[in-house]
Amino acid sequence: MTDCVFCRIVARQTAADIEYEDEHVMAFKDIYPKAPVHLLIVPKRHIASIAELKDADAEVIGRCFLAARRLGEAKGFGEKGYRISVNTGPEGGQVVYHVHFHFTAGRQRGHGA
Ligand code: AMP
Ligand code: ZN
């Protein structure tokens, strides 16, 4: 069994609250939500981090953003808006080394980090 928690969620070996799935992308609720809506959007294929992206990953990364748009619309945030963020590497605060896009919504955000 893989030791990557998000690969295990994709393979349904670890439980998660799945909100979206297509052939290439999955989105599920963050287990420790930091906003009223906090989802993680992941490529199904294991990519450790943005720092390891290859040209061949361009399409699946684009599909993650398309999933974000769909989730935003489906959850009623298409107009109000939402934030997508990606932590990368130790000083970027990355804890899980399987690329994931934090989708947060439901409260007013300012500029900046
Ligand atoms: P990051 O710091 O960007 O690597 O964020 C990792 C995120 O994954 C954190 O917000 C965690 O709360 C979340 N997380 C870790 N394990 C799980 C899990 N099993 N199911 C859902 N979210 C998780
Ligand atoms: Zn993985």
Side-chain angles (χ1 to χ4, degrees), residues 11-33:
R12 290 182 156 75
Q13 293 165 344
T14 292
D17 212 333
I18 297 167
E19 296 258 331
Y20 175 84
E21 182 174 19
D22 64 30
E23 192 184 342
H24 302 286
V25 174
M26 185 181 270
F28 47 87
K29 285 186 178 153
D30 195 294
I31 204 167
Y32 300 117

Side-chain angles (χ1 to χ4, degrees), residues 5-6 9 14-16 28-34 38 40 85-88 92-98 100 102:
V5 61
F6 292 171
I9 287 173
T14 292
F28 47 87
K29 285 186 178 153
D30 195 294
I31 204 167
Y32 300 117
K34 290 155 199 83
H38 188 171
L40 301 173
S85 55
V86 190
N87 299 326
T88 303
Q94 186 174 5
V95 173
V96 177
Y97 278 77
H98 178 133
H100 52 280
H102 293 262

Side-chain angles (χ1 to χ4, degrees), residues 16-90:
D17 212 333
I18 297 167
E19 296 258 331
Y20 175 84
E21 182 174 19
D22 64 30
E23 192 184 342
H24 302 286
V25 174
M26 185 181 270
F28 47 87
K29 285 186 178 153
D30 195 294
I31 204 167
Y32 300 117
K34 290 155 199 83
V37 175
H38 188 171
L39 308 176
L40 301 173
I41 302 170
V42 306
K44 285 187 168 179
R45 175 159 52 83
H46 183 86
I47 303 168
S49 127
I50 293 293
E52 315 227 336
L53 273 187
K54 301 187 169 47
D55 285 2
D57 300 322
E59 184 181 340
V60 75
I61 295 301
R63 288 182 181 281
C64 288
F65 283 98
L66 288 170
R69 191 211 74 209
R70 291 197 184 97
L71 283 160
E73 288 169 0
K75 294 191 156 291
F77 293 102
E79 297 281 321
K80 285 184 281 193
Y82 42 87
R83 173 173 293 203
I84 296 165
S85 55
V86 190
N87 299 326
T88 303

